[in-house]
Amino acid sequence: MKLLRWGEAGAERPGMIDAAGGLRDLGGVVPDIAGDTLSDAGLARLRALDPATLPEVPADTRLGPCVGGVGKIICIGLNYADHAAEAGMPVPPEPVVFLKATSAISGPHDPVRIPRDAAKTDWEVELAIIIGTRARYVEEDCALAHVAGYAIANDVSERAFQNERAGQWTKGKSHDSFCPLGPWLVTRDAVPDPQSLPLWLRVNGTVMQNGSTATMVYGVAHLVSYLSRFMTLHPGDVISTGTPPGVGMGMKPPRFLVPGDVMELGIEGLGQQRQPVIAEPG
């Protein structure tokens, strides 16, 4: 099942994809793709619907981020061994954890804005885990039961803010528009193996990243279990699981985003995103 949110930014409505790929409105069924809707019982209720009975949504409607009510975005750094190598850093002995501000969340096709005084804005295609039920001290063998589904995230990063200024990574990761999320939340029953998903990213039509979640250092179940030992995971929380090699920072010479660039990215079975790059207004 593919769930989404559509409409103007800040006023999105819940929706789903029908068998023909059309958009259907869930506004009369649930208030949002958030909270209890993400539980097994909530998803079962949606799965029992006949999408053909739901109102159609115009195909050209803006898609918003695929989940609402996000309490936190937890990111995992250096989670692909080959990406750690291109960054010149060792594979971490346990997951590298940092947070990204929820105000960075945007729709999958919304423009990405380069911050004022930025110099090294970069791309990162990532598999996002969407939590469905509260997880606290969960064992790895039952961790996936707490997952509602999966989506694409672009962990856009301003490397100069991230790496060349004092403090932690968060300020290089959290500018408005730095977390395009969607287009859909694909429920976990439709993703039998989250560790076998090809993922890719292009800039201006040129392939920059071409990898697979099979090469993650720490897989989905491990990450959910691991994080649940340090913080309670709530419905709607997003875990962005790291990126394969091919980021601009790792190129020789480095290549960073400029206004006018276009990013396109995708993960097999989870759809595609497309973002034009613009300068921060004002």
Side-chain angles (χ1 to χ4, degrees), residues 164-188:
E164 299 171 16
R165 298 178 65 166
Q168 299 180 340
W169 289 3
T170 299
K171 63 180 175 290
K173 297 282 189 171
S174 296
H175 188 259
D176 292 356
S177 80
F178 269 23
C179 188
L181 190 61
W184 317 306
L185 184 163
V186 181
T187 51
R188 75 171 188 270

Side-chain angles (χ1 to χ4, degrees), residues 66 104 153 204:
C66 60
N204 301 335

Side-chain angles (χ1 to χ4, degrees), residues 155-269:
D155 178 21
V156 184
S157 308
E158 171 45 46
R159 302 298 190 190
F161 296 176
Q162 176 187 354
N163 298 324
E164 299 171 16
R165 298 178 65 166
Q168 299 180 340
W169 289 3
T170 299
K171 63 180 175 290
K173 297 282 189 171
S174 296
H175 188 259
D176 292 356
S177 80
F178 269 23
C179 188
L181 190 61
W184 317 306
L185 184 163
V186 181
T187 51
R188 75 171 188 270
D189 60 299
V191 184
D193 183 4
Q195 303 306 149
S196 63
L197 302 176
L199 65 171
W200 55 270
L201 182 144
R202 297 191 295 260
V203 178
N204 301 335
T206 299
V207 175
M208 300 297 186
Q209 294 184 273
N210 190 13
S212 170
T213 59
T215 65
M216 280 185 186
V217 178
Y218 301 104
V220 168
H222 181 85
L223 291 173
V224 172
S225 175
Y226 177 86
L227 292 169
S228 78
R229 283 160 169 73
F230 299 99
M231 63 193 82
T232 301
L233 305 176
H234 294 281
D237 283 351
V238 175
I239 304 170
S240 201
T241 58
T243 198
V247 299
M249 176 180 65
M251 294 183 173
K252 300 187 186 309
R255 164 37 166 131
F256 297 112
L257 295 166
V258 297
D261 284 341
V262 175
M263 291 181 285
E264 298 170 288
L265 54 151
I267 300 179
E268 186 174 283

Side-chain angles (χ1 to χ4, degrees), residues 84-98:
E86 75 173 348
M89 302 180 75
V91 173
E94 57 183 281
V96 173
V97 179
F98 62 95

Side-chain angles (χ1 to χ4, degrees), residues 49-89:
L49 297 172
D50 177 2
T53 65
L54 300 172
E56 293 186 43
V57 176
D60 60 352
T61 296
R62 172 190 175 269
L63 296 182
C66 60
V67 62
V70 178
K72 51 188 174 289
I73 307 168
I74 310 161
C75 299
I76 308 299
L78 305 173
N79 197 30
Y80 288 71
D82 35 11
H83 172 55
E86 75 173 348
M89 302 180 75

